[in-house]
Amino acid sequence: MGRGNHRLGLALSLFAALAIVGPSPASGHEAHRRQREAALKARQMQAKGAQEAGVTAPAGINPATMHAPMGDMMELPKVDRSKMSGLARFMDWLGRLHPIIVHFPIAFFPTALFTAIVGRRRPAFAAPVQFMVVAGGVIAPVAAVLGWFGGGFNLATDDWLLTWHRWLGTGIGVGALALAIWAIKKPEQDRSTGMIIALAAISAAIVVQGWFGGAMMRGMDHMNW
């Protein structure tokens, strides 16, 4: 019991330390968001001026947002890392690993769901279910932690999109780890109704999380038809 309390205390201390030194990446994210918004407003002003001057856009296209998605991708401001401390630069680098690592749980859990469903009728297909659930359950928390490094540990933010993205991602990481532990301790339940429901829920959450991530990068209308 003493050793468990010691480990818990160490984990809480580490999180508190990260919360103290974390505002640098967070402020970087906020600066990115503000500069993107300023760039978008500037393009809207230019489009409005062009429209008032008699320059019209093709039919069916909104001049104010005509190039907004592409502009956000091409005009992302670069952070001057030479002015950041070594620790802040390392944390920023860890945060930039998030878009790479996050693809693994995106692949593992929907595949595990499909394999578990098919495996109920074809047992040979069920063999990889435990491996995929455990692999996804190990990588998902890592992706969630890297997301915190990317977005910063400063919880006081008015960016509701970032807030939903970070907490849904944290929930997915925790839920994925719980599923991995279940798959290890109860391998005979890899095709059970409970496992399939859990995998369906976490796969749905991953889809929603992907929408939030796309909205942060390309705008709220990034999936419009």
Side-chain angles (χ1 to χ4, degrees):
M1 179 67 71
R3 182 178 298 178
N5 290 335
H6 175 71
R7 290 178 178 175
L8 178 60
L10 181 61
L12 292 175
S13 300
L14 178 60
F15 187 86
L18 291 173
I20 294 173
V21 301
S24 294
S27 61
H29 172 82
E30 292 297 325
H32 281 208
R33 181 175 64 84
R34 287 195 297 269
Q35 292 183 28
R36 284 199 301 268
E37 291 176 351
L40 179 58
K41 289 180 180 179
R43 286 195 297 273
Q44 291 174 341
M45 294 280 292
Q46 292 173 357
K48 183 178 180 181
Q51 189 176 25
E52 291 175 351
V55 179
T56 59
I61 297 179
N62 183 351
T65 59
M66 182 165 53
H67 299 295
M70 185 61 71
D72 284 343
M73 293 180 64
M74 296 175 62
E75 299 177 11
L76 284 178
K78 293 184 178 180
V79 177
D80 185 3
R81 294 184 178 84
S82 64
K83 298 180 180 179
M84 300 169 64
S85 67
L87 178 59
R89 291 176 67 178
F90 177 66
M91 293 176 65
D92 177 71
W93 180 81
L94 287 176
R96 283 181 277 130
L97 290 175
H98 174 70
I100 300 173
I101 301 298
V102 77
H103 290 84
F104 291 94
I106 289 175
F108 278 127
F109 285 110
T111 306
L113 173 62
F114 172 80
T115 308
I117 294 173
V118 174
R120 294 184 71 131
R121 291 185 174 272
R122 298 175 177 238
F125 279 76
V129 172
Q130 184 188 35
F131 166 77
M132 287 187 289
V133 173
V134 172
V138 170
I139 298 175
V142 175
V145 171
L146 292 176
W148 278 89
F149 278 104
F153 290 83
N154 184 6
L155 302 182
T157 174
D158 58 353
D159 189 341
W160 70 268
L161 194 57
L162 173 62
T163 300
W164 276 92
H165 184 71
R166 74 172 13 150
W167 286 113
L168 180 58
T170 301
I172 290 173
V174 173
L177 182 59
L179 274 182
I181 295 173
W182 182 16
I184 292 173
K185 291 188 173 183
K186 302 287 185 179
E188 72 280 359
Q189 297 186 15
D190 58 354
R191 289 166 289 168
S192 66
T193 301
M195 177 62 76
I196 290 175
I197 292 175
L199 287 173
I202 203 165
S203 296
I206 288 173
V207 171
V208 175
Q209 180 73 338
W211 185 91
F212 281 132
M216 291 177 63
M217 294 301 298
R218 297 173 179 267
M220 296 290 292
D221 59 350
H222 71 288
M223 287 299 294
N224 286 0
W225 183 254

